[in-house]
Amino acid sequence: MITLPHRWRQLPAEKLSSKVLGLLIALVILLFALFGLVGYNRPYDEDPNFVAPLFTDVLIVFMELLVVLAMGCAVWSMTRSLKVRGKSEAYENNVPIKKIGYVVSWGTAALLLLSFLLGSAHPMVINGVEYTDEFWLKTADMLIVSSLVLIVVAIGAMAYGATNFMRRDHVR
C-alpha cells in the first residue's frame, strides 16, 4: 500500500490535487521541451527520410505510465464512490445522487466496452508501413469514439442546463 508523506496527509484534497497537477504540468513541459529541442533531427536508422528524436522512448514510456495511472485512478474512484454511495442516502437536496452515480459509472463502462467491440480493426498505412495490430487499432478507435460521444453528451447537458433557466422563468 502506498503511504503519503506526513505533511501531505494534512493537506486538503484541493491543495493536494493542485500540487499533483502542477508537478504533472512541469514534467510534461520538461519532457516535451527535451523531445523537441535535444536530438530531434537524428535520422532514423532504417529510413533516413524520417527522424528519430532522442527522447522518443522516454516520452512513450511517460505517456503509457500516465494512461495506466489514469485508468487505475478511474477504477479506484469508481469502486470507492460506489461503495460509499451504497451506504449513504439515495437523495441529497432532492437530487438522486445514488442513481446518477450508478448511471454515470455503468454508462461510461458500457460505452467504452461497446465502442471497443464495435471499433474498426481495419489495417492502416502509417508512414508508408501497414499497421495491423487489431487490439491497438480497436483501442484507438474506442478512445476516439468514446471521447466524441462524451463531448456530445456534455454539450447536450450544458444546453439542457442553460435552458433550465428559461424554463423556470416561464413556470413562475
Side-chain angles (χ1 to χ4, degrees):
M1 178 154 182
I2 298 174
T3 58
L4 294 173
H6 181 67
R7 65 177 188 265
W8 282 18
R9 284 187 227 149
Q10 297 172 350
L11 292 176
E14 186 177 346
K15 281 189 178 182
L16 180 62
S17 65
S18 66
K19 286 183 183 284
V20 170
L21 178 64
L23 177 69
L24 284 175
I25 289 172
L27 274 172
V28 166
I29 290 172
L30 175 70
L31 283 175
F32 276 95
L34 287 172
F35 178 78
L37 300 174
V38 178
Y40 185 78
N41 292 326
R42 290 180 351 154
Y44 185 54
D45 291 337
E46 294 180 21
D47 188 354
N49 293 326
F50 296 113
V51 294
L54 182 63
F55 286 95
T56 301
D57 293 336
V58 174
L59 197 59
I60 289 172
V61 169
F62 180 69
M63 289 299 150
E64 288 173 345
L65 180 66
L66 284 181
V67 168
V68 168
L69 284 172
M71 290 173 63
C73 285
V75 168
W76 175 78
S77 175
M78 186 173 121
T79 56
R80 185 175 178 275
S81 72
L82 290 177
K83 280 183 183 178
V84 169
R85 195 126 313 129
K87 298 175 186 173
S88 69
E89 294 291 321
Y91 287 86
E92 186 173 309
N93 294 330
N94 213 17
V95 175
I97 57 172
K98 191 173 183 179
K99 182 189 259 183
I100 291 171
Y102 282 122
V103 168
V104 168
S105 298
W106 292 111
T108 303
L111 174 65
L112 289 171
L113 179 66
L114 188 63
S115 61
F116 179 81
L117 293 175
L118 297 176
S120 172
H122 186 72
M124 297 176 66
V125 177
I126 301 171
N127 291 334
V129 177
E130 189 173 39
Y131 189 72
T132 60
D133 189 338
E134 185 176 325
F135 174 77
W136 288 114
L137 287 167
K138 286 174 100 44
T139 301
D141 202 33
M142 171 194 72
L143 294 173
I144 292 168
V145 169
S146 297
S147 297
L148 292 174
V149 168
L150 290 173
I151 288 170
V152 168
V153 168
I155 291 171
M158 286 176 19
Y160 179 76
T163 62
N164 189 24
F165 294 113
M166 289 182 266
R167 289 191 309 264
R168 282 186 187 170
D169 290 340
H170 293 296
V171 172
R172 292 179 188 176

